[in-house]
Amino acid sequence: MGIEIERKFLVTSDAWRAAALKVVPMAQGYLNDLAAMDTGAMKASVRVRIAGEDAFLNLKSRELGHTRQEFDYPIPERDARDLLALCVGGLVDKRRHYVEHAGFVWEVDEFLGDNAGLVVAEVELPSADAAFDKPAWAGREVTESARYYNLALATRPFSQWSQAERDGEG
């Protein structure tokens, strides 16, 4: 069983760009929707992702917070494209930038399309209590806020958020 331990932060400036090691375009969609998760009808999200020239089927447990079960399986790109056509909600398009900072590689997701304007940074940790140095460009932590999860962004994109939601209220 795979365990993902990650913390998620809003990005407050472009200062990370100079340190980016690489960028990978990503398109992803979900075979289940947020309602199935919220009602408990499903206990895991089922995601299809094309990342650059690679494609994956991913299952992630429903828990809110920094620790979840995660299973990631490579699949043929053609299969991924066919599965993306079956996804519910919208597709999430983004550019993932890999940025080294203080011994960790941060993933900075710059969202496109209906989620344009949202930039979120995540850091995967070896344990839930691992210490890490938060970069100056990483602002408010949103790990516990479900609306920043990609499944939620596929269902209700950033472009549909109120100004209060964009400001971290509500």
Side-chain angles (χ1 to χ4, degrees):
M1 168 175 54
I3 298 291
E4 173 190 66
I5 302 168
E6 76 179 7
R7 306 269 297 271
K8 189 180 296 239
F9 300 85
L10 295 180
V11 173
T12 59
S13 77
D14 283 342
W16 57 271
R17 288 187 187 277
L21 303 170
K22 69 177 179 176
V23 60
V24 177
M26 295 184 173
Q28 64 189 47
Y30 293 85
L31 295 171
N32 58 332
D33 64 7
L34 190 59
M37 300 287 285
D38 286 347
T39 64
M42 294 190 76
K43 296 181 190 282
S45 64
V46 182
R47 177 183 71 204
V48 178
R49 174 186 280 167
I50 298 175
E53 296 182 14
D54 299 316
F56 301 91
L57 185 63
N58 172 280
L59 294 90
K60 194 178 289 191
S61 63
R62 181 180 188 276
E63 294 92 5
L64 184 65
H66 58 68
T67 304
R68 292 178 293 221
Q69 296 177 57
E70 182 177 33
F71 306 89
D72 213 23
Y73 304 100
I75 61 174
E77 183 180 352
R78 179 67 196 164
D79 289 358
R81 291 198 184 286
D82 290 345
L83 286 169
L84 283 175
L86 300 176
C87 288
V88 297
L91 295 183
V92 175
D93 289 312
K94 59 187 176 182
R95 289 188 296 257
R96 174 163 287 170
H97 304 263
Y98 295 87
V99 180
E100 280 189 41
H101 178 78
F104 288 97
V105 176
W106 288 69
E107 297 172 346
V108 179
D109 287 343
E110 182 178 27
F111 291 89
L112 307 169
D114 288 340
N115 289 297
L118 180 61
V119 183
V120 176
E122 300 174 350
V123 61
E124 287 204 24
L125 302 171
S127 66
D129 60 353
F132 64 95
D133 179 38
K134 186 174 96 166
W137 43 262
R140 181 170 55 90
E141 184 168 5
V142 293
T143 303
E144 302 287 335
S145 183
R147 77 170 151 239
Y148 293 97
Y149 290 8
N150 286 290
L151 176 60
L153 293 172
T155 303
R156 187 166 173 264
F158 188 67
S159 62
Q160 294 178 11
W161 293 14
S162 69
Q163 190 58 50
E165 289 172 310
R166 289 176 184 226
D167 294 339
E169 303 166 16

